């Protein structure tokens, strides 16, 4: 017993001494005062500081102490657990510090624009000078890589092949993520084993981003191919395939305005997102929100003859299918201009046979419905779903000239004051944003109504090991592949297979949109829809609801539709409207579908 106690005491003293020495060596001084500085120790702006290691030691000590107390049941267990936790945390933090320092050197060597942002366990950014947040656990980082000096960026034009220069600097970057090199430096075999077990939980996500010029769908697909290519390149250079994921985000997550070339250059980037475990990774993905204030408004060429139509609404009404003058550029020009990554075909929807449904606009009516699966597969993008069979969107003017074949939904001319919902500024640090903003002037124009927006394609996160989509949550209640319907001015409007994930509002499968003109319930089993589309969709998730935006390509004059659902689901929409053209003038009709039971 005495010998055992002495051994335990020796272990505790040795580990505590190691922790103390680690902290002492990592404690930084303020160059102005020459005294120890909390900021320099935990939140230094120096890329070669040891901030992450020091934070890792502190948090590791705390977590290890709690575990040791639970296992050991006494103070010795607490001390042993705290010491071991501190060592593991310090080693992982040391990796982050070394990587940040090495990346700064790589950036100088190859004249790259590299930005590193630390992340906490909630997936939120830790500001360099925020000492309060620096006390929290550093769970990973986001590394943004741009090539302002390269003539063709990271990739060959319209290709997912890295340029020779890019292969050189991505080889150097990949080496900073190879845990085998760090493990080889750990002399203690038991400690090395624990370190490798902890690092086996790590997740690495390669994300390709583009600007918003050219085809949004082609940009997303090319950026996915490129993200996959970089992730495979990292696998070839020592990073385990099981920890690697990729995503072609296209234009969906801008970090600067696309109105200027400088802003577009900032948006063309590759990101390497590193999180310490699955929980932190899921938190990061769920907390991401698009910077919608950087979205450019869609601009069209329809002039409204009515003075009541606002200039913004009438000017934008022509491009409802997602087409604008910038989209006249070829996909090749767009792809050659982006630094993103990846390609998968757009999700394809299987058309369901017409059945029976209930229309619920005040009085209950009976309407055609669609056969829906009990649940939807997670195969669509976080921002927009595109049917593989969908053709190029039709402009409003072309639709209006289609033999006068438009449907009158009994609406009123679209004016600026007819917003479906005033949506405030989206802040990516917060999981949600408000759908009801006190200041309309602060609302990004593209969210004011669907005439100012266009489909923005982004592919989902996929695992490199098997190519499967990575899902972080279940569906919003009621939005898991059900049919929603409403009767508008005697016409039955059906939206089939609305399916949205609860974490970030991701559309998990593309819907079907159908209109039965002058619907007669008595003949519901015999009729065919006058409009049948597989439309593209944008979604915007807020704390008080979900804006589900459908782009309708101009068929029968239909331009777009907004539906606002409760964020907790339910069986009836909170608000909504259909926008359609009548003699080249945009009109809006109330549209509040209910779920078919």
């Amino acid at each position: 017993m005495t010998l055992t106690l002495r051994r335990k005491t020796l272990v505790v003293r040795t580990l505590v001494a190691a922790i103390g020495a680690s902290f002492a060596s990592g404690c930084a001084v303020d160059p102005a005062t020459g005294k120890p500085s909390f900021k320099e120790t935990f939140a230094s702006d120096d890329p070669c500081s040891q901030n992450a290691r020091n934070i890792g030691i502190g948090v590791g000590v705390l977590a290890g102490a709690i575990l040791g107390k639970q296992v050991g049941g006494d103070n010795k267990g607490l001390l042993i657990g705290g010491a071991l936790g501190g060592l593991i945390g310090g080693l992982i933090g040391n990796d982050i510090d070394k990587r940040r320092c090495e990346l700064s050197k790589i950036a100088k060597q190859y004249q790259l624009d590299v930005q590193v942002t630390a992340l906490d366990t909630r997936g939120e950014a830790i500001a360099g000078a925020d000492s309060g947040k620096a006390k929290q656990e550093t769970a990973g980082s986001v590394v943004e890589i741009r090539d302002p000096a390269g003539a063709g960026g990271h990739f060959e034009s319209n290709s997912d092949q890295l340029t020779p220069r890019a292969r050189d600097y991505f080889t150097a970057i990949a080496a900073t993520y190879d845990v085998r090199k760090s493990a080889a430096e750990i002399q203690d075999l038991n400690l090395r084993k624990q370190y490798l077990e902890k690092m086996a939980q790590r997740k690495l996500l390669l994300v390709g981003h583009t600007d918003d010029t050219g085809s949004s769908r082609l940009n997303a697909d090319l950026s996915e191919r490129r993200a996959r290519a970089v992730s495979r390149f990292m696998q070839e250079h020592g990073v385990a395939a099981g920890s690697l994921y990729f995503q072609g985000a296209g234009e969906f997550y801008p970090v600067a305005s696309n109105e200027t070339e400088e802003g577009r250059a900032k948006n063309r980037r590759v990101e390497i997102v590193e999180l310490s475990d699955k929980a932190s990774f899921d938190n990061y993905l769920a907390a991401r929100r698009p910077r919608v204030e950087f979205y450019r408004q869609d601009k069209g060429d329809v002039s409204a003859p009515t003075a009541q139509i606002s200039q913004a609404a009438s000017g934008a009404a022509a491009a409802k299918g997602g087409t604008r003058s910038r989209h006249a550029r070829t996909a090749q020009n767009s792809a050659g201009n982006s630094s993103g990554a990846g390609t998968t075909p757009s999700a394809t929807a299987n058309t369901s046979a017409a059945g029976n449904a209930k229309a619920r606009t005040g009085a209950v009516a009976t309407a055609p419905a669609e056969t829906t699966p009990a649940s939807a597969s997670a195969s669509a993008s976080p921002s927009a779903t595109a049917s593989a069979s969908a053709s190029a969107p039709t402009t409003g003017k072309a639709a209006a000239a289609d033999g006068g074949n438009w449907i009158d939904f009994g609406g009123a001319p679209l004016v600026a004051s007819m917003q479906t919902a005033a949506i405030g500024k989206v802040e990516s640090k917060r999981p949600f944003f408000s759908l009801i903003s006190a200041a309309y002037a602060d609302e990004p124009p593209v969210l004011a109504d669907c005439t100012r927006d266009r489909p923005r394609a982004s592919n989902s996160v996929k695992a490199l090991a098997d190519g499967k989509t990575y899902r972080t949550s279940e569906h919003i209640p009621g939005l898991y592949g059900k049919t929603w319907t409403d009767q508008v001015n005697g016409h039955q409007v059906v939206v089939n297979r609305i399916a949205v994930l609860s974490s970030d509002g991701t559309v998990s499968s593309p819907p079907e949109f159908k209109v039965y003109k002058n619907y007669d319930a008595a003949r519901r089993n015999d009729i065919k829809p006058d409009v049948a589309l597989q439309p593209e969709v944008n979604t915007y998730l807020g704390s008080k609801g979900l804006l589900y935006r459908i782009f309708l390509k101009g068929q029968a004059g239909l331009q777009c539709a907004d539906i606002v659902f409760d964020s907790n689901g339910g069986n009836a929409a909170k608000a909504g409207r259909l926008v359609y053209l009548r003699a080249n003038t945009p009109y809006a009709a109330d549209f509040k579908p209910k779920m078919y039971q």
Side-chain angles (χ1 to χ4, degrees):
M1 292 293 291
T2 303
L3 181 60
T4 301
L5 179 59
R6 286 177 180 175
R7 286 177 177 173
K8 286 184 177 180
T9 302
L10 179 61
V11 170
V12 171
R13 287 177 178 174
T14 302
L15 291 174
V16 171
I19 293 298
S22 296
F23 255 124
S25 65
C27 187
V29 297
D30 188 328
T33 64
K35 296 181 179 180
S37 166
F38 182 89
K39 179 182 184 299
E40 293 301 317
T41 302
F42 292 102
S44 173
D45 296 326
D46 181 1
C48 292
S49 70
Q50 294 182 324
N51 288 173
R53 189 203 68 160
N54 295 335
I55 295 169
I57 291 173
V59 174
V61 168
L62 179 60
I66 294 173
L67 180 61
K69 180 68 174 178
Q70 293 174 343
V71 174
D74 54 19
N75 291 333
K76 289 190 291 294
L78 184 147
L79 289 173
I80 293 173
L84 286 173
L87 284 177
I88 297 298
L91 290 170
I92 294 172
N94 190 52
D95 279 351
I96 297 175
D97 285 332
K98 287 197 304 182
R99 184 174 303 113
R100 181 172 60 166
C101 183
E102 288 301 315
L103 287 172
S104 70
K105 296 176 182 177
I106 294 169
K108 291 179 181 179
Q109 179 181 355
Y110 292 96
Q111 296 181 303
L112 299 172
D113 179 6
V114 176
Q115 303 292 328
V116 182
T117 303
L119 298 173
D120 63 21
T121 55
R122 295 177 296 181
E124 296 182 359
I126 300 176
D130 189 347
S131 59
K133 289 201 72 174
K135 295 178 183 178
Q136 302 176 29
E137 181 179 0
T138 301
S141 63
V142 176
V143 177
E144 298 180 17
I145 307 169
R146 302 177 185 84
D147 184 17
H154 305 306
F155 301 91
E156 302 290 353
S157 179
N158 195 30
S159 168
D160 58 7
Q161 297 298 311
L162 289 165
T163 64
R165 175 170 167 271
R167 291 183 66 85
D168 289 341
Y169 59 72
F170 272 116
T171 296
I173 291 170
T176 69
Y177 289 92
D178 187 353
V179 300
R180 297 174 302 178
K181 294 182 178 180
S182 298
E185 298 173 0
I186 303 174
Q187 300 302 316
D188 185 281
L189 296 180
N190 185 50
L191 190 60
R192 182 190 301 175
K193 178 183 177 182
Q194 293 183 58
Y195 168 78
L196 289 173
E197 288 175 350
K198 178 66 176 177
M199 295 305 290
Q201 302 174 33
R202 183 179 65 169
K203 305 288 185 184
L204 285 176
L205 171 64
L206 281 296
V207 188
H209 299 272
T210 73
D211 61 29
D212 71 348
T213 58
S215 164
S216 185
R217 170 47 55 192
L218 292 181
N219 279 343
D221 289 345
L222 179 61
S223 69
E224 181 176 285
R225 292 201 307 274
R226 289 176 167 179
R228 184 193 289 117
V230 176
S231 62
R232 284 176 176 166
F233 189 82
M234 294 190 73
Q235 178 193 3
E236 293 169 359
H237 288 79
V239 180
S243 68
L244 286 165
Y245 298 81
F246 62 92
Q247 180 185 25
E251 66 178 84
F252 190 63
Y253 293 105
V255 293
S257 173
N258 280 296
E259 296 289 352
T260 66
E261 177 51 41
E262 180 183 5
R264 291 191 289 274
K266 290 181 178 179
N267 290 331
R268 299 190 295 267
R269 66 198 192 278
V270 169
E271 283 182 345
I272 305 176
V273 183
E274 177 188 20
L275 276 308
S276 60
D277 52 38
K278 183 180 185 300
S280 300
F281 188 55
D282 290 351
N283 288 341
Y284 170 79
L285 295 178
R288 286 193 302 178
R289 292 293 180 271
R291 298 288 300 275
V292 294
E293 66 270 26
F294 293 144
Y295 284 174
R296 281 197 279 190
Q297 291 189 61
D298 210 22
K299 293 182 175 68
D301 57 1
V302 174
S303 58
T306 306
Q308 292 177 306
I309 307 299
S310 70
Q311 182 178 0
S314 61
K320 292 302 105 290
T323 300
R324 58 181 171 187
S325 59
R326 286 191 290 275
H327 287 190
R329 305 180 189 183
T330 65
Q332 180 176 2
N333 290 341
S334 165
N337 192 29
S338 62
S339 303
T343 188
T344 43
S346 305
T348 306
N350 295 321
T351 305
S352 302
N356 296 324
K358 297 179 182 178
R360 302 174 183 271
T361 310
V364 176
T366 307
E370 316 302 322
T371 303
T372 62
S375 62
S377 61
S379 60
S381 72
S383 60
T385 56
S387 167
S389 62
S391 59
T394 306
T395 65
K397 179 167 285 189
D402 186 19
N405 184 26
W406 59 278
I407 298 176
D408 184 4
F409 291 96
L414 179 67
V415 295
S417 61
M418 293 176 60
Q419 300 88 7
T420 298
I423 300 176
K425 182 179 180 181
V426 178
E427 295 182 359
S428 59
K429 286 186 178 182
R430 290 177 6 202
F432 301 107
F433 58 89
S434 174
L435 275 175
I436 306 299
S437 171
Y440 171 69
D442 293 336
E443 180 181 89
V446 295
L447 296 184
D449 62 68
C450 56
T451 67
R452 309 184 193 191
D453 202 0
R454 72 182 183 93
R456 287 179 171 83
S458 174
N459 292 324
S460 56
V461 174
K462 297 181 177 68
L464 179 65
D466 56 16
K468 293 183 179 179
T469 296
Y470 185 86
R471 271 186 54 179
T472 61
S473 70
E474 298 302 320
H475 292 86
I476 293 176
L479 304 184
Y480 51 91
K482 292 292 186 178
T483 294
W484 292 71
T485 183
D486 189 15
Q487 193 169 87
V488 184
N489 199 34
H491 314 300
Q492 201 68 39
V493 181
V494 175
V495 187
N496 189 38
R497 290 208 304 265
I498 295 181
V500 181
L501 298 179
S502 60
S503 60
D504 59 356
T506 298
V507 176
S508 66
S509 67
E512 294 176 334
F513 182 92
K514 297 186 178 184
V515 178
Y516 298 83
K517 187 176 178 181
N518 300 320
Y519 175 67
D520 181 359
R523 299 178 57 247
R524 62 181 180 271
N525 294 324
D526 303 327
I527 60 175
K528 295 181 178 180
D530 296 271
V531 175
L533 296 171
Q534 295 177 349
E536 295 171 286
V537 174
N538 288 351
T539 55
Y540 302 96
L541 181 62
S543 59
K544 298 183 179 179
L546 171 84
L547 177 58
Y548 189 90
R549 178 161 288 169
I550 308 171
F551 298 92
L552 299 173
K553 308 178 183 180
Q555 185 171 332
L558 284 162
Q559 303 300 297
C560 53
D562 279 349
I563 309 174
V564 178
F565 296 104
D566 190 277
S567 56
N568 294 319
N571 57 13
K574 297 171 59 176
R577 68 179 172 201
L578 285 172
V579 176
Y580 60 101
L581 289 186
R582 177 178 178 180
N584 283 346
T585 297
Y587 278 67
D590 286 343
F591 178 49
K592 299 178 183 178
K594 293 188 177 182
M595 183 172 64
Y596 172 62
Q597 302 294 334

